[in-house]
Structures are given as structure tokens and as C-alpha cells.
Amino acid sequence: DRHPILRLNRNSVFEYGSSEDNSESLRDRLQFEKMTNDLYSLILQKASTSDSGNYLCSVEEWLLDPNDVWYKLGEDQSGLTTVTVQQPEFKMQVDKTELNISIPEKDLFQLSCNVTHRTQDDSQFAVSWFAWKVKEGVDQKETILKIDHHSVFGFDVSLDGAEGMNDRLQLERPSNGLYSLTVRNIASSDTGNYYCQVEE
């Protein structure tokens, strides 16, 4: 389907299309430039795969007569520009070293999550820590801590029963892509298999 993106009317006022493709996020990524009186440029920033498609511009020529009345002389359109936005090759890797440690009660242990490779240099990460624990003979998965790509913390205590751990946790980020989660004042109930999951 053909959807209008941006229109510059004869009064030099911008108008945006009304289709779903013209959300506020799309409008924020559009940059219009008038290079010369006859040359116009539209730049779409931060392109995503949903921006793929065939693009063209349509031009109407208007003239203002001596009575200040506009009348249309004609219209024409450009050829199609086919744009294909490709996803970058996914390259992120997380260190998968496995450890087996024993610690006395009331002590602490650290959980490292190391992103060794990333797809793009400006990528942001969402990191979650989980634990598999045996309770009443049944393996149960608990969410220990979540950090979204905006560095906002979350504790899913109501969902996974990790209540009581959040005040014993300390998160550090020694370097870009390296996260260290410390669990303090540990108890036998903290016994389990821990791992981190990373989204880029």
C-alpha cells in the first residue's frame, strides 16, 4: 500500500501522513532539507527493517495569480527508490564459563556476566539473573534481578519467590559489558544453579 510520509504544501507548511506508518517515532526520525529551489532531500534517520519499501516523491506546481488565488499548473512524480534495511549480523556472545563453588553461611558470592562480543559498538544490554533451586523436591526457577537497556532495575519477587534477596544484592559494572552481582549474607536457601541472560 502507498502511504504518505511527509508533505510540504505550497505555503511551505509541513504535513504528515495519517497512516499507522507515520507514528511519532517516525516523524522524529525525518529530516527535510531544501538544497536549492529545485532540489529537496528527505533523510530518514536510525533506519529499521520496517522502513524497507519503495519510496518516491510527488511534486505539484502551483502559481499565485495577481488576485492572490492559487491555481495548479500540473504534477509529476519521481522514479521509485527501493530501500532494503538489513538487520546487522548478530554477533553478541556471553562468557559461558561454568563454576562450582561452596561458601559458608553468612558469607557472600559473586556472579559475573561478561559480554565478550557485541553486534554494534553502541548497543545497550538488558541483563537478567536467574537461579534454579530445589524446593520441596521440585526444581523452581527464580528471577533474582533484572536490568533493562535503560539501566532500570526490577525484582520479580512477587512472581518467583525471590523475596528477601533484593536487600542482599549489590550490582557493579566494572567495565562496559561486564556485570558483577554480589549476594551477601547467604543462607542455605541460596543454594542453586545461577546464570545470567543478556538481550542486546
Side-chain angles (χ1 to χ4, degrees):
D1 294 338
R2 181 172 171 176
H3 301 296
I5 296 176
L6 177 68
R7 183 172 185 264
L8 180 68
N9 66 24
R10 61 177 182 257
N11 296 313
S12 298
V13 176
F14 288 107
E15 299 174 356
Y16 293 92
S18 58
S19 72
E20 294 181 357
D21 293 338
N22 288 280
S23 61
E24 291 185 5
S25 62
L26 174 59
R27 297 181 188 184
D28 293 340
R29 295 187 290 122
L30 292 176
Q31 178 181 333
F32 175 83
E33 295 181 2
K34 183 177 181 181
M35 316 298 287
T36 66
N37 284 336
D38 301 319
L39 179 60
Y40 301 85
S41 175
L42 182 65
I43 300 172
L44 180 57
Q45 302 172 330
K46 297 181 180 179
S48 64
T49 53
S50 61
D51 296 319
S52 297
N54 296 315
Y55 292 78
L56 60 85
C57 73
S58 179
V59 182
E60 298 175 352
E61 187 175 13
W62 292 78
L63 189 64
L64 186 64
D65 69 13
N67 297 318
D68 288 335
V69 176
W70 286 100
Y71 64 94
K72 185 176 175 180
L73 297 176
E75 66 178 286
D76 199 0
Q77 66 181 34
S78 71
L80 289 176
T81 298
T82 300
V83 177
T84 303
V85 182
Q86 299 178 333
Q87 278 278 18
E89 181 184 356
F90 184 69
K91 298 179 180 179
M92 188 194 73
Q93 293 182 7
V94 179
D95 185 4
K96 293 179 173 55
T97 301
E98 295 187 355
L99 300 173
N100 191 343
I101 55 177
S102 298
I103 311 104
E105 285 190 320
K106 305 297 182 181
D107 207 336
L108 59 83
F109 63 88
Q110 290 183 324
L111 306 169
S112 294
C113 192
N114 185 16
V115 180
T116 57
H117 295 86
R118 62 178 62 205
T119 304
Q120 292 183 301
D121 292 338
D122 57 352
S123 293
Q124 302 297 320
F125 302 111
V127 184
S128 302
W129 278 269
F130 301 96
W132 282 100
K133 299 180 181 180
V134 178
K135 293 186 177 180
E136 299 179 353
V138 179
D139 285 342
Q140 294 186 9
K141 182 180 178 180
E142 293 184 358
T143 302
I144 306 303
L145 176 66
K146 288 184 175 182
I147 313 168
D148 68 15
H149 61 284
H150 296 300
S151 298
V152 177
F153 290 78
F155 301 93
D156 282 358
V157 296
S158 61
L159 297 176
D160 300 316
E163 189 172 2
M165 286 198 71
N166 53 354
D167 59 351
R168 298 188 288 123
L169 300 177
Q170 178 182 341
L171 177 68
E172 295 178 303
R173 189 180 177 185
S175 62
N176 193 17
L178 176 59
Y179 302 82
S180 178
L181 182 64
T182 301
V183 182
R184 301 182 180 279
N185 195 25
I186 63 174
S188 58
S189 59
D190 294 320
T191 299
N193 296 315
Y194 293 77
Y195 68 96
C196 72
Q197 178 177 297
V198 181
E199 296 176 355
E200 185 177 18

